[in-house]
Amino acid sequence: MEPAPTEEAAQRALRGSLGSDLETFLEMMSAERGAAPNTLDSYRRDVEDYGSFLARRRTSLRTASPTDIRAYMAELEARGYAASSAARRLSALRQLHRFLFAEGIRTDDPTGIVAAPKRKPPLPKIMSEAEVERLLTEAEAAVARADTPPARLRAARLAALLETLYASGLRVSELVALPATAARPDLRMLMIRGKGGKERIVPLTERSRAAIGRFMMLRREAEGDKPAGPWLFPAISESGTLTRQAFARDLKALAASVGIAPARVSPHVLRHAFASHLLQNGADLRIVQQLLGHADISTTQIYTHVLEERLKSLVADHHPLARTAAD
């Protein structure tokens, strides 16, 4: 009984089945494209894996068809490759087959009509309602603990920023640019000019109006007769508006103080929380789209993953066939 071939022998056999085409391709990538050794190793692994697949289908680099390539992409998906990884592998095969076509080794490029795998948009980072409430509660406690007027003013500003952001789902750039007129005590809605100059109306809750009112009172006490300036949330001890970076820094420090990893928290994550929590509690997707200022409903649909459990519950509780099965 012959011994099983070693891994090295198997690799030599595979490279032989690929012929000189792979080596010539790698030489071109090195000489003409300046590919680094690690990049060349990656191309070699990709093409050898592809060549092994083609060999099982009794074809080769020179005879593979678009159907073979689609079958290979399907196998990568079955192996658990992410769409981004499969797309990178297809990119390598495109370069290989374009090279074979340019060199006259093949009369066509079979990858030309093969579509790249669609990449699913990443799910937004989400905070639970309890976590957001911890942030808001700690922001309030920080105002009460502050023992100097400047510290109290800074804490009140952060509390007002958080309440306003979570109440309205504003982009951070929209939040820090709110005009001082937003502090009117009778104002219950804000007119926001968002991306592309599009306007939308967002609500202010009782809590956000109260937090803004307290901050403005402390501002008047600190500024006296000095002009209040055009911004609702100006930088303290500096001229101009509060920067997005400064707000994000204060927010992360607040998160750390209540045991939430700062990396999980940002102004944009709170905007995600606003949208997700609305949907979890029964809001219509179109309404959430309008509140967020999304031009296309497909952008808002990234939040629909939070509805999965609620939808399952609705079907289980209200679908007639589900009730019949339960009975």
Side-chain angles (χ1 to χ4, degrees):
M1 184 174 181
E2 296 183 2
T6 65
E7 177 64 22
E8 183 179 354
Q11 288 296 324
R12 281 199 304 269
L14 176 57
R15 290 171 188 171
S17 70
L18 293 175
S20 62
D21 295 338
L22 171 57
E23 299 305 326
T24 307
F25 170 66
L26 294 177
E27 288 174 7
M28 181 278 296
M29 293 297 294
S30 176
E32 298 182 16
R33 306 280 180 85
N38 287 343
T39 302
L40 295 175
D41 288 343
S42 178
Y43 276 119
R44 182 182 294 280
R45 287 192 299 270
D46 289 349
V47 175
E48 287 178 349
D49 185 71
Y50 171 55
S52 178
F53 172 82
L54 294 179
R56 294 196 300 273
R57 290 173 67 89
R58 300 184 183 280
T59 185
S60 67
L61 299 183
R62 299 190 177 199
T63 57
S65 68
T67 300
D68 294 318
I69 296 171
R70 291 192 187 97
Y72 179 62
M73 300 308 295
E75 178 169 293
L76 293 181
E77 182 180 4
R79 290 189 210 167
Y81 275 60
S84 58
S85 298
R88 188 199 61 77
R89 180 69 60 89
L90 179 60
S91 176
L93 300 187
R94 287 193 200 282
Q95 294 191 63
L96 168 68
H97 279 289
R98 286 170 185 168
F99 167 75
L100 297 177
F101 174 69
E103 292 294 307
I105 298 172
R106 285 192 62 134
T107 59
D108 65 338
D109 172 9
T111 66
I113 59 174
V114 177
K118 292 185 178 180
R119 304 185 186 193
K120 296 180 181 179
L123 294 178
K125 293 180 180 179
I126 297 298
M127 297 181 66
S128 68
E129 292 181 42
E131 287 174 323
V132 174
E133 187 58 39
R134 280 163 61 191
L135 287 177
L136 296 175
T137 300
E138 176 58 23
E140 282 294 312
V143 178
R145 289 196 306 267
D147 54 3
T148 66
R152 189 173 301 112
L153 181 61
R154 184 179 293 275
R157 183 186 65 181
L158 181 57
L161 283 162
L162 290 178
E163 290 285 359
T164 305
L165 176 54
Y166 187 54
S168 61
L170 294 175
R171 298 179 178 92
V172 64
S173 57
E174 297 166 344
L175 178 67
V176 298
L178 284 175
T181 53
R184 282 172 31 201
D186 62 331
L187 196 63
R188 284 171 167 72
M189 308 289 283
L190 294 175
M191 178 66 74
I192 303 298
R193 186 179 296 274
K195 289 185 176 179
K198 293 183 179 179
E199 293 185 338
R200 70 185 190 279
I201 295 176
V202 297
L204 283 176
T205 61
E206 291 288 343
R207 282 178 57 159
S208 62
R209 292 204 309 274
I212 291 172
R214 178 180 59 194
F215 172 62
M216 293 302 294
M217 179 189 70
L218 293 173
R219 272 189 67 186
R220 286 191 293 269
E221 291 177 0
E223 294 170 351
D225 295 332
K226 291 189 295 184
W231 310 114
L232 178 58
F233 300 115
I236 296 173
S237 301
E238 300 173 14
S239 60
T241 185
L242 174 71
T243 66
R244 294 171 296 168
Q245 294 82 0
F247 174 37
R249 183 188 62 235
D250 291 347
L251 178 55
K252 288 179 180 296
L254 181 70
S257 71
V258 294
I260 299 174
R264 293 186 53 227
V265 183
S266 72
H268 202 63
V269 169
L270 279 180
R271 175 171 154 89
H272 289 324
F274 163 81
S276 299
H277 298 168
L278 280 178
L279 290 170
Q280 283 173 342
N281 287 284
D284 181 82
L285 189 64
R286 287 285 182 183
I287 298 299
V288 175
Q289 176 194 0
Q290 294 173 17
L291 292 173
L292 292 173
H294 287 163
D296 194 319
I297 190 68
S298 63
T299 308
T300 318
Q301 286 173 337
I302 64 173
Y303 297 103
T304 56
H305 71 285
V306 306
L307 298 177
E308 182 178 352
E309 292 305 318
R310 189 163 69 87
L311 291 176
K312 287 180 180 178
S313 176
L314 284 173
V315 171
D317 292 343
H318 300 290
H319 196 284
L321 294 181
R323 290 201 302 272
T324 302
D327 293 341

